[in-house]
Every structure is written in C-alpha cells, then in structure tokens.
Amino acid sequence: MNHFKPDITQMVSPFLLLYIVHATQIGEGILSFERHIARIAGYDAWISIILTGVLTTFVVVIIWRIVGEEQADFMTIHQFIFGNLFGKLLTFIFSLYLFAISMTVLVSYIEIIQIWFFPDMSIYFFMFILVMLILYISLGGFRIVVGFAFFSVFVTGFLAIFKYKAFTDGHFNNLLPVFNTPPKDIILAMEPMSFSLLGIELILIYAPFIHRFQSGLKWAVSSNIFTTIVYFFSAIAIFMYYNEQHIQFISWPTLQLWKVINFPIIERFEYVGISLHMIAIIATSCLYFWASMQCFHRITTFTFRKISIFCALIGISSIFFIHNFLIIEKITLTLSRVGMVLLFGYIPLLYVCHKIASGVKKKHANK
Amino acid sequence: MRTNNIWLILLCCLVLTGCVKTKILDDVELIMTYGFDWDPATEKYKGIAVAPVYGRSEQAELGENIRYTGEAKTLQEINSFIQTEAPFQVEVGNILAILFSEDLVTNGVEEIIHAINEAPDIGRDINVAITQGDTETLLKTEYKMELTLSRFIEKLIENNSKSNIPKMNLHQFNYRLIGDGMDPFLPILEQSETSIDIAALGMMKDDKLVHRIPYEQFFIFKLLYQDCEDHTYEFEWEEKSETIAISSIRSTRSIHWKSKNEVVIKADIIGTLTESKKEGVKTFAKKKELEQAVSKKLKEESKQLIQTFQELEIDPLMVGASAKSKFRDWNRKEWESQYPEITITPDISFELDLSNIVQ
C-alpha cells in the first residue's frame, strides 16, 4: 500500500476530533430535523434519535477498524480493495457527494437568510461571498478548517441554551404516552435523523491528518454521543413547545421558538440566532468542502489549490440551478438517503471487503 | 500586482453587499397594533394599523398615534395598501397586539391567522384579542392617555394576564387552534367612554367565537385552567350575609383520570383573608367553616362553567389533550363525540393561611 502521509505541521491532536466531528454533524439540520422525524414517528421520534446515535457510534468504531494502525485514508483503502481505476471511480463518486452536501448546506442557509432578513438580496452574490470564504479557509490547510470547527462548537452550544423557553412554556403532556407509535415508524424515522448525524464519514478522509489516530477513538465516540444528546435535548424542547399537528406547519421550529424570546435590547432573538448560526454553517460546509477537495486532489494530479478554485467556481454556479425551495428540499432528501446508505450500508460493507482483501493479500504475500 | 487585484475585487464585494433595503428606525413606519375587520359586502379583510408618532418635540405629554387602513383579501396586500398612505416604509416587525373584530371571529379567524403565521417578520409573543364591535372604531377613537395606544393595549392585556386572565399570545393561540383536544380563547376588549377595558373572555370552537365568560367567572376559569398566583376573590357568604375578600391566592391545578369517562380537575388554593368587614376569623372552627364554604361555592361555580363548556362542545381547559397523553387508543373523532358526556368533576380545596393586619 502506498500511504499518504501529511506533514506534521498539518496534523492536529486527536482530542480535536471532539470538535471536528461535532461541527460536521451540526449544521443546517438542527433547525428543522424535528419536523422531519415527527412526520414519520410522531412524538416518539426521540427514540429514533437515540437509536440513530447508537448505530452511528458503531459506524465510528467500524471506521476506526477500517483505517487501522497504518492510518490509511479512504483513497488508499479504495485503491487497495478495488484496484486503481475502480477505486478512484468510487472515491470520485464519494467526493461528489461530499461536495454536494457542502453546497446544499450553504444554499439552504441562504434560503433562511433570504426569507428572514433580506428578501431582496441577490442570492448569487451572497453565495459568492460564502464560497469565497470557504475557499479561503480550505486553502489555509486542515488546521485552519479545524480551528473554525473548534470555534463553531461554542457558538452552537451557546445557541442551544436558548431552547430554555420551551421548558418553561411547553407542555410535557405532548410526549406522553410513550411508545404509542408502531416500532416500524420509529425505525423509519431514523432515515431523516441519520442525515442530521452525517459527518462521521469524513473521518475516513482526514484520518491521516490526526496525530496518533488510534487514540482518538474515544474522542470521536464521545463527540458522537454529545451530538446525539444535543439533538435529543433539542427535539424534546421542540416537542414540548409544539403539538404534533402544529409542528407540521412550521418549517424551522427552532427559529420560531426563538421568536418568542426577547430581551430589552433585542426584540426578537431569532435574528441573533440566525446570524450566529452562520458560523456553524460555514464550519460544516468548510469541512465537507475540504474533504471533497482532498479526495479530488488525491485521485488526480492537480494541486489542491487549483482543484479547489475550480470546484469553488462550480459551487457558485450551482446556485443558478438550485434556487427554489422545492429543489432544495428534494436535494436534501436525496442526499439524506444517500448518506444513510453510505453510513449503514457502504461503510460496513467496506469493512468486510477490507478484511477479505487484506486476508487474501497476506496469504499471497506469504507464498 | 496580481494579489493587489484580488484584494480590490474583494473590497468591491464588501462595498456592494450594502445593496439591500436599509431599515433605519427613524425612517420606517413601525406598526405596533394591527386590527382586522371583516367586510361581508366585498368579502375582504379590512386592516387597521396603528403606528406611534414619536414626538418631534421632547415634551410631548400624550402619546400620539397615526392610523392607516387598507382593505384586501390577503395580509400582504393590506400591507402594501397601507403603504400608499404612509410616507415611510411600512414595517410589521414590532407588532405588539393583533385585534380581531367580533364579526370576524364569529365567522372564523383561521385564514387570517395563517396569513399572519406565514409572515416571517411577525413575532410570536404578540397579544391577540377580540374587540367588541368593530376594530376600526375602537382603534380610531382618540383617547387621552399617556402611553401610545399600542403600548396601552399591550400593557392592558399583559398586566391582566398576570392577575385576571390566562396568558394567550400568538404562539399559544396557534398551539390551541391547531392541536387536538383543545380550543383557544381570547380576551375581549371593549371600548368604554374614555378608554379601553377587558370585558370578557371569548371562548372559541375551533376558530369561531361561540361563548363569552364575564369578569365574574375569570377567576374560576383561571383556577381550572392553570396554576395561578396573586388573585383576588370576592366571596359572598350567603348563609351569614357577609362579603369576604380573599387575596394573594396561589393555586396549583392538576388533572386526574379515574377512568376513561371520569376525570377530576383538582385545584388547591391557598389565600389570605384581607377584607372581612370587622368579622374576622378567630377560631379554628370558624376558619374551617369559612374554608369549606368557599370550597363549596367554588366547586358549584366550576361545575356550572364546565357544564357550559361541555354543552357547547368546547375544550378550553385542554382536558382532551390530557386524555390524549393518558390513553393510548385516544383518537380525535371518538373523543369529540364523547366529550359532552364524560363527567368532569372539579375538586377544589381552599386553605386560609394568613389574616389581615387588623384584629
């Protein structure tokens, strides 16, 4: 195997996985996931959150097994298992998916900005600014990207406090009786939920960049658990605040919850909330963008810089095609399906293939 | 040289981002109260917007208001109609109260409420109320008050929500309007000679006004509806022909289900005897007698109120929602047919803890 080994100046310490994983997982989804899961599983959907959290934790462990002691990344593994050409093709598809998520997150955030703040704003221009920012951060290298992710965790943590209003004004009755939804629906609700917990697949890309990668498992797992707790807490708050019929009328339950909060200097908190959320959006998008560019860079002979600028241009132009809310909803839905298959289907499959392939190659090496 | 050019482009970007509509507080028409009437002839909503006029001089004693009216079928169209009368950009971001006329609420308010919900710049912590008669006449009358009209209505409803009526903002109204097993209610504002007061609570079935309860029943309703704090209750002790006032009332309310058709709404009240007209309560026996008399009276009054609700098939006490959380096989249709028949028993216990400052 031909290993990719980044320079030590590009590496980050393993405890930062706590922030990286959390920042990738929490993005635009936290504003609206309650509606999606409640549509399928009603107000027992919080069980789906826990189940998804447990399953994703297993996936994290599997990822650690795949990467192994050699700290091989996704591209190396693909080429090792499927050979040069087919491996590259798979990586290419995977990086397209990462790139799509990176841009969808931005576009759906711009949608919120457009609805709430500036209805007459030029979305093309705003997209241009955001993509430029992301390009700038990504070109700074992995450490800069992680720095931003580190920062964003504090912002989302701060924003999570403002769900307190739901606990003071809400009705706990909404959550009762527990287990009144058929188990099938609870399982089905894991699909939209897994979109919210997506982000752990990126570990496969940035694995070589983590110093002493094997010792990072505990950080990644605790980060995943932490994210699950944040989602769980958020869902309970929203479920208490809205009843089952009401929530289906609301596009972004969290933002509407913030509408009720006011301080002497701020009439409506959602304006602060949306603005601060931009940092979380940029961190998520940036990590995905960086990972996608890393994939493209590793399978081609172009430099990281060249491919990034090229893809940024494609990203900006994507807004000309995805500019209406129905398309955004559709793309998000499709990506959530793909993500679900990737997490719970492809990665375990990859693990099995990896086991078989390394077993076979070892046998041949011994002969 | 090349890097310089890039910086120049980026600088241009920063300058160009200012190309959206600016909203400077002094240059917008900040609408603070919105009233809606229904015009049956044209089948249109008539919107009356009240904006404060912040004085050009600092010494302005009275709050002045400016009113705009617009008529259209949708909220946004009313807004743009109002714009034709206003010198500045009309902004609805700081609305404090939304009023509906009685006619409109009798016809159903769901359509306009959904229109309000769809506007992203309207908050949710807004007071909603019904006006007796037309909203237009109520809002267009000039009152002599220190506050602006919008602030007056806001403070009126807000302060009464603490003591007399349960709080009902736009979010809570929506919650009850859309949810299963509950019905909303709204305070009814009435125009008095010189001012505005809260006349009654309007109980709604779905989105239509069907019943109103007068001031005398506010306390009973609030007792059955939620935990309350700091209330005053005037008790007429008929057997002794005395009138006693109890204040600083604190109560806790809970719902207990005996079976699927039997429910007890329990309210425990603790209060202070403040006005007893020299009579006083000096012995334990008297105290107990008084407590029991009050409990009995309250129980009777509650029973009556609940019966009215059941006859009208409205559920402002959210008994249905409680049943939903209690019974697994709850469904809306079945509940709605059962609701008038189930027995709802109020169980009210009263306890006197302190007396007044006169022996």
PDB file of all heavy atoms in Angstrom, chain B residues 9-21:
ATOM      1  N   ILE B   9     -10.902  43.336  -5.837  1.00  0.00           N
ATOM      2  CA  ILE B   9     -12.192  42.677  -6.117  1.00  0.00           C
ATOM      3  C   ILE B   9     -12.925  42.386  -4.813  1.00  0.00           C
ATOM      4  O   ILE B   9     -14.112  42.676  -4.675  1.00  0.00           O
ATOM      5  CB  ILE B   9     -11.961  41.374  -6.915  1.00  0.00           C
ATOM      6  CG1 ILE B   9     -11.462  41.715  -8.324  1.00  0.00           C
ATOM      7  CG2 ILE B   9     -13.247  40.569  -7.033  1.00  0.00           C
ATOM      8  CD1 ILE B   9     -10.908  40.530  -9.066  1.00  0.00           C
ATOM      9  N   LEU B  10     -12.178  41.871  -3.847  1.00  0.00           N
ATOM     10  CA  LEU B  10     -12.805  41.536  -2.563  1.00  0.00           C
ATOM     11  C   LEU B  10     -13.358  42.786  -1.874  1.00  0.00           C
ATOM     12  O   LEU B  10     -14.437  42.773  -1.303  1.00  0.00           O
ATOM     13  CB  LEU B  10     -11.796  40.837  -1.649  1.00  0.00           C
ATOM     14  CG  LEU B  10     -11.538  39.383  -1.999  1.00  0.00           C
ATOM     15  CD1 LEU B  10     -10.470  38.808  -1.086  1.00  0.00           C
ATOM     16  CD2 LEU B  10     -12.806  38.560  -1.868  1.00  0.00           C
ATOM     17  N   LEU B  11     -12.615  43.879  -1.987  1.00  0.00           N
ATOM     18  CA  LEU B  11     -13.052  45.142  -1.401  1.00  0.00           C
ATOM     19  C   LEU B  11     -14.357  45.589  -2.040  1.00  0.00           C
ATOM     20  O   LEU B  11     -15.299  46.013  -1.370  1.00  0.00           O
ATOM     21  CB  LEU B  11     -11.964  46.198  -1.597  1.00  0.00           C
ATOM     22  CG  LEU B  11     -12.098  47.424  -0.686  1.00  0.00           C
ATOM     23  CD1 LEU B  11     -11.715  47.037   0.728  1.00  0.00           C
ATOM     24  CD2 LEU B  11     -11.212  48.547  -1.177  1.00  0.00           C
ATOM     25  N   CYS B  12     -14.418  45.422  -3.374  1.00  0.00           N
ATOM     26  CA  CYS B  12     -15.643  45.762  -4.099  1.00  0.00           C
ATOM     27  C   CYS B  12     -16.817  44.945  -3.564  1.00  0.00           C
ATOM     28  O   CYS B  12     -17.914  45.464  -3.382  1.00  0.00           O
ATOM     29  CB  CYS B  12     -15.492  45.483  -5.588  1.00  0.00           C
ATOM     30  SG  CYS B  12     -14.513  46.728  -6.394  1.00  0.00           S
ATOM     31  N   CYS B  13     -16.547  43.665  -3.310  1.00  0.00           N
ATOM     32  CA  CYS B  13     -17.601  42.785  -2.797  1.00  0.00           C
ATOM     33  C   CYS B  13     -18.165  43.336  -1.504  1.00  0.00           C
ATOM     34  O   CYS B  13     -19.370  43.404  -1.312  1.00  0.00           O
ATOM     35  CB  CYS B  13     -17.064  41.395  -2.509  1.00  0.00           C
ATOM     36  SG  CYS B  13     -16.398  40.618  -3.938  1.00  0.00           S
ATOM     37  N   LEU B  14     -17.264  43.748  -0.617  1.00  0.00           N
ATOM     38  CA  LEU B  14     -17.693  44.252   0.675  1.00  0.00           C
ATOM     39  C   LEU B  14     -18.541  45.510   0.511  1.00  0.00           C
ATOM     40  O   LEU B  14     -19.534  45.703   1.199  1.00  0.00           O
ATOM     41  CB  LEU B  14     -16.484  44.550   1.560  1.00  0.00           C
ATOM     42  CG  LEU B  14     -15.743  43.321   2.068  1.00  0.00           C
ATOM     43  CD1 LEU B  14     -14.519  43.725   2.847  1.00  0.00           C
ATOM     44  CD2 LEU B  14     -16.659  42.476   2.937  1.00  0.00           C
ATOM     45  N   VAL B  15     -18.140  46.363  -0.420  1.00  0.00           N
ATOM     46  CA  VAL B  15     -18.891  47.595  -0.631  1.00  0.00           C
ATOM     47  C   VAL B  15     -20.260  47.280  -1.226  1.00  0.00           C
ATOM     48  O   VAL B  15     -21.273  47.841  -0.848  1.00  0.00           O
ATOM     49  CB  VAL B  15     -18.087  48.546  -1.536  1.00  0.00           C
ATOM     50  CG1 VAL B  15     -18.910  49.780  -1.858  1.00  0.00           C
ATOM     51  CG2 VAL B  15     -16.802  48.939  -0.842  1.00  0.00           C
ATOM     52  N   LEU B  16     -20.291  46.316  -2.125  1.00  0.00           N
ATOM     53  CA  LEU B  16     -21.532  46.013  -2.840  1.00  0.00           C
ATOM     54  C   LEU B  16     -22.577  45.313  -1.980  1.00  0.00           C
ATOM     55  O   LEU B  16     -23.748  45.324  -2.315  1.00  0.00           O
ATOM     56  CB  LEU B  16     -21.224  45.151  -4.059  1.00  0.00           C
ATOM     57  CG  LEU B  16     -20.614  45.904  -5.240  1.00  0.00           C
ATOM     58  CD1 LEU B  16     -20.142  44.927  -6.270  1.00  0.00           C
ATOM     59  CD2 LEU B  16     -21.626  46.851  -5.841  1.00  0.00           C
ATOM     60  N   THR B  17     -22.151  44.712  -0.864  1.00  0.00           N
ATOM     61  CA  THR B  17     -23.137  43.982  -0.063  1.00  0.00           C
ATOM     62  C   THR B  17     -24.172  44.906   0.544  1.00  0.00           C
ATOM     63  O   THR B  17     -25.184  44.470   1.040  1.00  0.00           O
ATOM     64  CB  THR B  17     -22.480  43.192   1.080  1.00  0.00           C
ATOM     65  OG1 THR B  17     -21.510  44.025   1.675  1.00  0.00           O
ATOM     66  CG2 THR B  17     -21.883  41.912   0.605  1.00  0.00           C
ATOM     67  N   GLY B  18     -23.928  46.202   0.550  1.00  0.00           N
ATOM     68  CA  GLY B  18     -24.900  47.138   1.110  1.00  0.00           C
ATOM     69  C   GLY B  18     -26.104  47.365   0.219  1.00  0.00           C
ATOM     70  O   GLY B  18     -26.940  48.215   0.510  1.00  0.00           O
ATOM     71  N   CYS B  19     -26.221  46.615  -0.863  1.00  0.00           N
ATOM     72  CA  CYS B  19     -27.264  46.887  -1.834  1.00  0.00           C
ATOM     73  C   CYS B  19     -28.633  46.336  -1.469  1.00  0.00           C
ATOM     74  O   CYS B  19     -29.451  46.114  -2.343  1.00  0.00           O
ATOM     75  CB  CYS B  19     -26.860  46.363  -3.195  1.00  0.00           C
ATOM     76  SG  CYS B  19     -25.536  47.315  -3.878  1.00  0.00           S
ATOM     77  N   VAL B  20     -28.909  46.045  -0.215  1.00  0.00           N
ATOM     78  CA  VAL B  20     -30.254  45.627   0.144  1.00  0.00           C
ATOM     79  C   VAL B  20     -30.955  46.781   0.832  1.00  0.00           C
ATOM     80  O   VAL B  20     -30.331  47.743   1.257  1.00  0.00           O
ATOM     81  CB  VAL B  20     -30.249  44.377   1.047  1.00  0.00           C
ATOM     82  CG1 VAL B  20     -29.815  43.174   0.273  1.00  0.00           C
ATOM     83  CG2 VAL B  20     -29.410  44.604   2.261  1.00  0.00           C
ATOM     84  N   LYS B  21     -32.242  46.619   0.960  1.00  0.00           N
ATOM     85  CA  LYS B  21     -33.074  47.675   1.535  1.00  0.00           C
ATOM     86  C   LYS B  21     -32.651  47.959   2.979  1.00  0.00           C
ATOM     87  O   LYS B  21     -32.570  47.061   3.797  1.00  0.00           O
ATOM     88  CB  LYS B  21     -34.509  47.194   1.506  1.00  0.00           C
ATOM     89  CG  LYS B  21     -35.527  48.274   1.615  1.00  0.00           C
ATOM     90  CD  LYS B  21     -36.877  47.768   1.157  1.00  0.00           C
ATOM     91  CE  LYS B  21     -37.422  46.677   2.042  1.00  0.00           C
ATOM     92  NZ  LYS B  21     -38.543  45.974   1.460  1.00  0.00           N
TER      93      LYS B  21
END
